[in-house]
Amino acid sequence: EIVLTQSPGTLSLSPGERATLSCRASQSVSSSYLAWYQQKPGQAPRLLIYGASSRATGIPDRFSGSGSGTDFTLTISRLEPEDFAVYYCQQYGSSRMYTFGQGTKLEIK
Amino acid sequence: QVQLVQSGAEVKKPGASVKVSCKASGYTFTGYYMHWVRQAPGQGLEWMGWINPNSGGTNYAQKFQGRVTMTRDTSISTAYMELSRLRSDDTAVYYCARDTYYYDSSGHRNWYFDLWGRGTLVTVSS
């Protein structure tokens, strides 16, 4: 089973700053199978990025994804107040099984 | 409107079972696999398994094998997740989510969850 490790656990930044979130896989993952989600308190997760770098419908272009193999990154270029949330990476595995990273909390500094 | 509507919060005693429902609307229920994901208080997301609404076939995460049963009723476009022998650490919000895929420019399927229910809080307490 592939394990996804996200870092940092918590990231404290100010609005307008750039956020860089990391997701590292224990084995190589196809870029096609890597997605990112945003979750705000009391809400279900929302898809941000699929295929490691493709933005989902309606997602602002300040969100971008990159990476391959075992290292993937979610970047938020200029933080808006509504971006402070928890972010999860997810990978699709064989037999349509999925695993999630443990999450990165992005908090206001 | 494309949505998944889940049943309401439940309080159960240890050792009991809980059955959570997820009603799909606005799309062809049998056309998409339905997954269940749970989230303990203050914790991350944990994938539990899926059901193929068309065939009824299932696949469960090893952690839940023997305790979870996923079923569906296609006549009312509803998926169910039943968890038995509940323990206090089963206290969590349980989400249903459908997965789908998109073909990228290289012809590869990009898989992801594109639609989520709002979650059902299950509290296990004596």
Side-chain angles (χ1 to χ4, degrees), chain B residues 1-2 12 34 52-53 56 58 61-62 70 83-84 87 95 100 109 116 118:
Chain B
Q1 183 181 2
V2 179
K12 295 293 183 181
M34 192 70 76
N52 177 349
T58 56
Q62 189 169 10
M70 296 178 188
L83 190 61
S84 63
R87 308 184 292 257
Y95 293 100
T100 190
R109 292 185 180 183
W116 295 71
R118 297 182 73 169

Side-chain angles (χ1 to χ4, degrees), chain B residues 11-90:
Chain B
V11 179
K12 295 293 183 181
K13 293 193 183 300
S17 298
V18 68
K19 191 171 186 177
V20 178
S21 68
C22 172
K23 183 174 177 58
S25 61
Y27 73 94
T28 302
F29 175 63
T30 52
Y32 297 82
Y33 281 39
M34 192 70 76
H35 297 252
W36 291 88
V37 176
R38 77 177 186 179
Q39 185 171 39
Q43 303 301 308
L45 302 170
E46 182 174 31
W47 180 80
M48 299 179 69
W50 56 252
I51 182 167
N52 177 349
N54 189 42
S55 67
T58 56
N59 190 17
Y60 306 138
Q62 189 169 10
K63 175 177 180 176
F64 300 102
Q65 293 271 1
R67 279 210 306 145
V68 70
T69 304
M70 296 178 188
T71 57
R72 93 291 190 216
D73 184 339
T74 57
S75 68
I76 56 172
S77 299
T78 299
Y80 302 92
M81 187 285 300
E82 183 170 21
L83 190 61
S84 63
R85 303 193 300 279
L86 289 168
R87 308 184 292 257
S88 58
D89 62 356
D90 291 317

Side-chain angles (χ1 to χ4, degrees), chain A residues 32-33 35 37 39 42-47 50-51 54 88 90 92 94-102, chain B residues 33 35 37 39 43-47 50 59-61 95 99 102 104 108-114 116-118:
Chain A
S32 301
Y33 298 164
Y37 298 83
Q39 186 180 34
Q43 296 184 17
R46 177 176 73 143
L47 176 70
Y50 62 90
S54 298
Y88 295 94
Q90 175 205 49
Y92 164 89
S94 62
S95 303
R96 217 151 172 167
M97 301 173 75
Y98 290 84
T99 53
F100 291 92
Q102 83 280 17
Chain B
Y33 281 39
H35 297 252
V37 176
Q39 185 171 39
Q43 303 301 308
L45 302 170
E46 182 174 31
W47 180 80
W50 56 252
N59 190 17
Y60 306 138
Y95 293 100
D99 77 349
Y102 174 81
D104 61 24
H108 298 122
R109 292 185 180 183
N110 293 180
W111 291 91
Y112 49 88
F113 291 175
D114 70 332
W116 295 71
R118 297 182 73 169

Side-chain angles (χ1 to χ4, degrees), chain A residues 17-28:
Chain A
E17 290 193 293
R18 179 185 186 90
T20 302
L21 288 67
S22 172
C23 176
R24 178 162 292 178
S26 59
Q27 303 172 44
S28 184

